Amino acid sequence: MKVLLVGSGGREHALAWKMAQSNQVEELYCAPGNAGIAEHAAIIDIAADDVVGLTAIARNLDIGFVIVGPEVPLAMGLVDILQANGIAAFGPTQAAAQLESSKAFTKDFCTRYNIPTAGYEVFTDLDGALVHVHKNEPPFVLKADGLAAGKGVVIADTKFTAEDELKEFFSGKFGEASEKVVIEEFMTGQEASFFAICDGKTAIPLIAAQDHKRAYDNDEGPNTGGMGAYSPTPVFGEKEMATVMETIIYPTVAGMAKDGMPFMGILFAGLMMTKDGPKLIEYNVRFGDPECQVLMRRLGTDIMDLFLAAKAGKLDEVDAPAWLDDPVVNVVMASNGYPAKYKKGSVIKGIETANMMDGVYVFHAGTQKNKKDEIVSNGGRVLNVTASGDTVAEAVERAYAAIDQAIDWEDGFCRRDIAHHALG
Ligand code: AMP
Ligand code: GLY
């Protein structure tokens, strides 16, 4: 079958790497891809949010199946448009993607279906939001309703900062995304990212990973898309998985079907492991990045079996996916300055050498080749140095050894404490 993968991050490199191992994939294409994905797929120069262009090329190439990596095309309705053109695709419809594209939608949905999450109120004007701040005590969690590339959340420790931030939200800080603002109760605990694959009526649990959202060591600095991940994580074992399936995932799949928006795709629950049990922080409707990279390295099953069964509505007929026992860690290397301003185009060497080290494999994110055929940086998050080991400690040691001894990139940085929660 001819398959088209949409996206260009480390998540998509990991998906391309895994999909290329499937004997169900005869030809693999990726739009717009990166220099690493180009090793496994034919690259098409069409942006991930060009839904019209992607549909046209899928028709021209006679693509049999499309996998959508990032949230933006899903929220724009790419899956609906492909399907209207007779092209099968894996991922939720635009309506079902509201679980990620509207925080107010998700909070209301959780209330109706009794899904554990932080208490909240939704505001459409500044005055109402300010009254809420006057009446309650900090910290306040302020969230733009719409997609804001992971930057639409502010934790305000004082009433004063909450007021200032709310003024900015309502004066268009995130454009349309902050026309509605959700104010949430502050939850404490460790976070975990848990994934399930869904076919509209059935959900199969995948596994959990732990992300590191802040830019610098000790969880300091600004929020990012994610600076590293590892799996398995001690905060999320069999017991937690059973609880989350029962209290969060199954009610969501049933509720979405009941509401006429059956969810087919990857459901990514961002969870706070509170002392009262796991609570939903947010839903995403796709794999996480950098989490997907560790999941793909641990997955022992042909991923196309899962994607195709989900699309066919037959997840109840597939075997539970197999997972390799060895822990995997992913250390993100980002351009100096990320998540604020950074430069592009600096040469990166040593990826091949890193890939020859025990347990190591480097997934590319923002990379491309220059005219001299060298790999150069082309984004904020640039490399994902993944490593497996007998223990989390060994995996961590191998990933940092690859970074220190093999990768040669002057303009990059990484966190030095990925997986610290597991190492104690
Ligand atoms: P989100 O984009 O909703 O995942 O939020 C980004 C980050 O803000 C999360 O990963 C948490 O670290 C933090 N956060 C979001 N909501 C809450 C909450 N209700 N209580 C505490 N922290 C939160
Ligand atoms: N790593 C978090 C995300 O993909 O949204």
Side-chain angles (χ1 to χ4, degrees):
M1 156 186 319
K2 282 187 177 184
V3 179
L4 169 64
L5 170 67
V6 176
S8 61
R11 166 181 52 211
E12 286 77 22
H13 187 185
L15 289 171
W17 171 82
K18 190 69 191 168
M19 286 159 64
Q21 294 168 35
S22 167
N23 53 24
Q24 300 178 76
V25 177
E26 279 147 6
E27 287 176 44
L28 182 58
Y29 296 85
C30 183
N34 62 36
I37 297 173
E39 312 254 314
H40 316 285
I43 300 299
I44 299 171
D45 189 16
I46 296 180
D49 60 358
D50 180 358
V51 295
V52 174
L54 290 169
T55 306
I57 198 79
R59 285 184 65 148
N60 288 343
L61 290 172
D62 200 19
I63 296 290
F65 200 40
V66 179
I67 313 293
V68 187
E71 64 276 18
V72 170
L74 293 168
M76 291 171 77
L78 177 58
V79 169
D80 313 60
I81 299 167
L82 288 167
Q83 285 179 359
N85 281 274
I87 302 157
F90 176 79
T93 59
Q94 185 173 39
Q98 287 181 94
L99 282 176
E100 176 163 1
S101 64
S102 170
K103 294 196 188 287
F105 171 91
T106 302
K107 297 303 279 189
D108 292 344
F109 179 89
C110 288
T111 306
R112 274 187 292 123
Y113 290 103
N114 218 358
I115 293 166
T117 184
Y120 72 104
E121 275 187 62
V122 181
F123 298 94
T124 50
D125 67 83
L126 179 62
D127 289 347
L130 291 178
V131 171
H132 175 94
V133 168
H134 289 302
K135 282 199 201 144
N136 291 278
E137 289 309 313
F140 297 99
V141 182
L142 315 176
K143 297 188 176 184
D145 176 58
L147 293 182
K151 301 188 182 93
V153 175
V154 173
I155 305 207
D157 289 325
T158 65
K159 290 193 180 204
F160 198 65
T161 40
E163 286 166 6
D164 278 357
E165 284 291 342
L166 283 167
K167 282 175 196 156
E168 286 198 34
F169 272 57
F170 281 110
S171 52
K173 184 175 183 185
F174 297 106
E176 269 179 38
S178 60
E179 281 174 7
K180 252 190 220 172
V181 175
V182 177
I183 305 187
E184 279 184 20
E185 159 207 0
F186 181 75
M187 301 187 284
T188 50
Q190 273 194 54
E191 289 180 43
S193 306
F194 175 64
F195 301 84
I197 185 166
C198 311
D199 69 1
K201 41 188 204 300
T202 308
I204 294 187
L206 301 177
I207 52 174
Q210 197 167 42
D211 188 9
H212 301 67
K213 291 198 194 254
R214 301 295 196 97
Y216 314 129
D217 287 13
N218 303 317
D219 296 320
E220 283 169 13
N223 258 326
T224 69
M227 293 300 291
Y230 70 100
S231 168
T233 165
V235 292
F236 202 95
E238 300 267 315
K239 185 173 139 261
E240 287 76 16
M241 182 187 288
T243 306
V244 170
M245 288 304 290
E246 217 46 58
T247 61
I248 299 181
I249 304 292
Y250 292 138
T252 298
V253 174
M256 291 297 281
K258 184 158 176 272
D259 292 351
M261 298 173 256
F263 186 92
M264 187 271 292
I266 299 294
L267 195 52
F268 164 1
L271 300 164
M272 190 71 85
M273 310 306 285
T274 74
K275 62 176 182 14
D276 305 321
K279 290 190 182 179
L280 185 71
I281 301 172
E282 64 161 0
Y283 265 134
N284 297 306
V285 298
R286 42 143 183 110
F287 279 113
D289 186 343
E291 293 95 327
C292 183
Q293 294 85 316
V294 298
L295 263 62
M296 289 307 110
R297 286 214 46 191
R298 290 194 60 211
L299 180 61
T301 298
D302 181 345
I303 192 158
M304 291 303 291
D305 286 345
L306 297 173
F307 288 158
L308 290 164
K311 166 68 190 146
K314 291 186 174 166
L315 277 180
D316 55 345
E317 293 175 18
V318 304
D319 293 334
W323 300 99
L324 308 183
D325 288 335
D326 281 3
V328 176
V329 59
N330 174 15
V331 178
V332 171
M333 297 188 77
S335 299
N336 284 331
Y338 172 80
K341 250 178 78 170
Y342 54 82
K343 70 173 206 197
K344 292 183 181 178
S346 63
V347 176
I348 303 163
K349 295 199 172 118
I351 295 174
E352 287 306 315
T353 314
N355 284 343
M356 285 186 292
M357 295 171 75
D358 273 347
V360 174
Y361 194 79
V362 180
F363 292 116
H364 294 226
T367 66
Q368 64 176 20
K369 282 203 170 160
N370 67 9
K371 290 202 183 87
K372 290 197 255 171
D373 215 34
E374 295 164 316
I375 306 281
V376 296
S377 63
N378 188 39
R381 291 188 294 172
V382 173
L383 297 178
N384 299 264
V385 180
T386 70
S388 60
D390 288 339
T391 58
V392 175
E394 187 178 53
V396 166
E397 203 181 287
R398 287 174 167 181
Y400 286 113
I403 288 169
D404 294 333
Q405 293 160 28
I407 304 287
D408 176 8
W409 178 33
E410 273 180 14
D411 288 320
F413 78 100
C414 65
R415 276 182 60 161
R416 286 277 155 188
D417 63 347
I418 300 305
H420 64 95
H421 283 302
L423 300 176

